[in-house]
Amino acid sequence: MKKVLGALLSLALVAGLVTGCNKKDNSAAGTASSNAGASKAEKRLLIGVSIWSSTDTLGSQCKRIIDAAANALDVDVMYVDQGHISEQVTASAETLCAAGCDGIIICNSASAEMTSVINTCTKNKKYVAQFFRIISQNANPNEYKLAQQSPYYVGAVHENEIENGKQLVTILANKGNRKIALEGWEAGDATFLLRYEGYKAGVEEWNKAHANDKVTLLEPQYGGTTADTGRATAEAIINANPDIQALIVAGGGGDTLVGALAAIESMGKKGKIDVVSTDFLADLDQQLATGGMAAESGGHYCDPLIAFMLVYNAIKGNYKVDTNSFYDVPFPYLYVASSEDYAAYAKYFVDDLPYNAEELRAMAKLSQKDLAAAAAKLSIEDVKSRR
């Protein structure tokens, strides 16, 4: 009886974790079951996506571009939302492997989680790539070595987060802000730690060059990945430090920032506290115009698209997966600091996708070197040149 109950609980967990599947018609029907009964030759590829959220501001944009690529390439997609909760991140890889995915792309939280993820994928012979993340060779040498040696770890698609942090702090300093608060999302998150390193480096550079006009960066407080927790954390920061001139909301998918902006407005501080963040809001143009935001980085949401292409080509046998290295694909950030900046961005990244179906099919045929080059040049000007 205990074995039966255990099996039922395991099935319930899998059913609860899987948030939906994409098909050609973008329906939420079960992709895994759509392949049941098909012969091996006819089976469509199924690529799993482990993401913090497929419904928040950034997550929904990621889902949109992944779904477009899946439709263009006639591939099925299965999503698992894991909230950047460590246990759910590692469980998501197990869930997607058990569901029959041929490969997985994942946005983990801590790099330490990748030991379990890589081992799960290697054991099940499923290719895996990270997006918005890379394992730090210095901070996580064991995980980095494991990634290098696994024949199923394809690679990572990520930004230069340290430079991103420096840029945002410098924008605030140039606007006259000298006391800056910081709201992260989860303590120990791999990407937050890199951004934090950049914020501190930017402050250090500024203070070295302006010895009589120094900037102070407060210790980070953590607002989770929801609007409610983001709001509560921002309120606590401001109540404890009523003299702050600026707030960095480090990221977390967008909802944390939504909550922080709501807190600032309700406390009568809108336009008085300069806010910068990474992860574009749906109403960024309005926030920039009304003083809600001072600047924001992010915007392209295409890291998972490139990770998807890496895994797709590894499954197809087009990209060799070495056992002493992996593919490292850096991505440039977009920076928006005015309504005019946002208008150009919105035309090519919000009102439409930066790649159409024909371009996505062509992208899937690129060599790994050319795919990395395409990622490196993605910008508003790049999209304009293709339109």
Side-chain angles (χ1 to χ4, degrees):
M1 183 64 179
K2 289 181 178 179
K3 289 183 178 179
V4 173
L5 286 173
L8 288 173
L9 285 171
S10 297
L11 287 171
L13 175 62
V14 170
L17 283 170
V18 178
T19 62
C21 307
N22 171 65
K23 294 190 68 179
K24 291 274 290 180
D25 61 358
N26 283 329
S27 72
T31 305
S33 51
S34 76
N35 288 323
S39 69
K40 187 173 182 180
E42 296 172 343
K43 180 180 178 293
R44 288 156 58 96
L45 292 185
L46 174 61
I47 295 178
V49 182
S50 172
I51 190 170
W52 68 95
S53 170
S54 59
T55 59
D56 71 5
T57 304
L58 178 59
S60 60
Q61 291 174 319
C62 292
K63 184 178 186 300
R64 185 181 172 207
I65 192 69
I66 294 169
D67 287 350
N71 287 337
L73 299 177
D74 205 29
V75 172
D76 289 333
V77 185
M78 177 178 287
Y79 293 87
V80 174
D81 288 7
Q82 26 83 339
H84 275 164
I85 298 169
S86 186
E87 296 82 1
Q88 293 185 19
V89 171
T90 55
S92 69
E94 297 170 2
T95 299
L96 292 167
C97 285
C101 292
D102 299 290
I104 295 170
I105 63 173
I106 188 167
C107 181
N108 58 295
S109 180
S111 288
E113 296 158 1
M114 291 306 295
T115 295
S116 175
V117 171
I118 293 170
N119 284 337
T120 295
C121 291
T122 302
K123 177 183 176 182
N124 289 278
K125 299 182 179 180
K126 309 295 184 184
Y127 291 104
V128 61
Q130 292 174 270
F131 61 96
F132 294 131
R133 297 288 189 271
I134 188 170
I135 300 168
S136 170
Q137 185 174 9
N138 294 328
N140 300 89
N142 293 333
E143 290 85 352
Y144 190 89
K145 185 176 181 180
L146 179 65
Q148 286 182 307
Q149 294 177 339
S150 171
Y152 290 94
Y153 180 83
V154 186
V157 185
H158 62 99
E159 285 74 19
N160 185 336
E161 298 294 357
I162 295 175
E163 182 61 27
N164 174 39
K166 289 170 66 175
Q167 289 280 354
L168 289 178
V169 160
T170 302
I171 288 171
L172 289 175
N174 282 326
K175 286 179 175 288
N177 297 288
R178 297 297 177 264
K179 187 171 183 179
I180 303 170
L182 173 58
E183 181 170 352
W185 63 97
E186 297 291 344
D189 180 274
T191 291
F192 172 75
L193 291 175
L194 291 173
R195 290 178 187 170
Y196 187 27
E197 187 177 338
Y199 305 142
K200 291 186 290 185
V203 168
E204 184 178 344
E205 286 185 10
W206 176 272
N207 289 344
K208 186 176 181 180
H210 304 82
N212 297 319
D213 189 22
K214 291 187 174 181
V215 169
T216 298
L217 178 67
L218 302 183
E219 290 295 312
Q221 305 300 313
Y222 297 96
T225 57
T226 72
D228 288 342
T229 54
R231 179 171 184 155
T233 303
E235 288 174 349
I237 290 172
I238 296 168
N239 285 329
N241 305 277
D243 60 337
I244 62 168
Q245 298 165 306
L247 174 66
I248 300 172
V249 182
D255 283 358
T256 311
L257 176 59
V258 170
L261 292 176
I264 289 170
E265 185 167 9
S266 70
M267 298 173 81
K269 299 280 189 176
K270 184 174 181 178
K272 299 176 183 178
I273 295 177
D274 280 340
V275 181
V276 298
S277 183
T278 298
D279 295 342
F280 279 14
L281 292 173
D283 64 343
L284 180 55
D285 54 342
Q286 182 181 350
Q287 293 290 351
L288 288 166
T290 60
M293 294 291 301
E296 195 153 14
S297 62
H300 56 65
Y301 58 78
C302 285
D303 290 56
L305 168 65
I306 303 302
F308 182 94
M309 293 296 181
L310 286 176
V311 168
Y312 173 84
N313 276 287
I315 296 167
K316 290 282 192 178
N318 299 329
Y319 290 178
K320 178 184 177 183
V321 182
D322 211 332
T323 52
N324 57 19
S325 65
F326 56 80
Y327 298 117
D328 179 354
V329 183
F331 229 134
Y333 265 122
L334 299 177
Y335 292 88
V336 169
S338 69
S339 295
E340 292 74 20
D341 289 347
Y342 183 83
Y345 164 77
K347 181 176 181 180
Y348 298 106
F349 287 82
V350 178
D351 300 337
D352 201 357
L353 291 172
Y355 300 102
N356 59 36
E358 182 179 352
E359 289 166 334
L360 289 167
R361 284 189 286 270
M363 179 182 285
K365 297 177 183 178
L366 295 176
S367 68
Q368 191 282 323
K369 183 178 180 180
D370 288 340
L371 179 66
K377 73 176 184 179
L378 180 60
S379 65
I380 293 169
E381 290 304 317
D382 172 49
V383 183
K384 281 183 181 179
S385 72
R386 292 186 275 106
R387 295 291 180 269

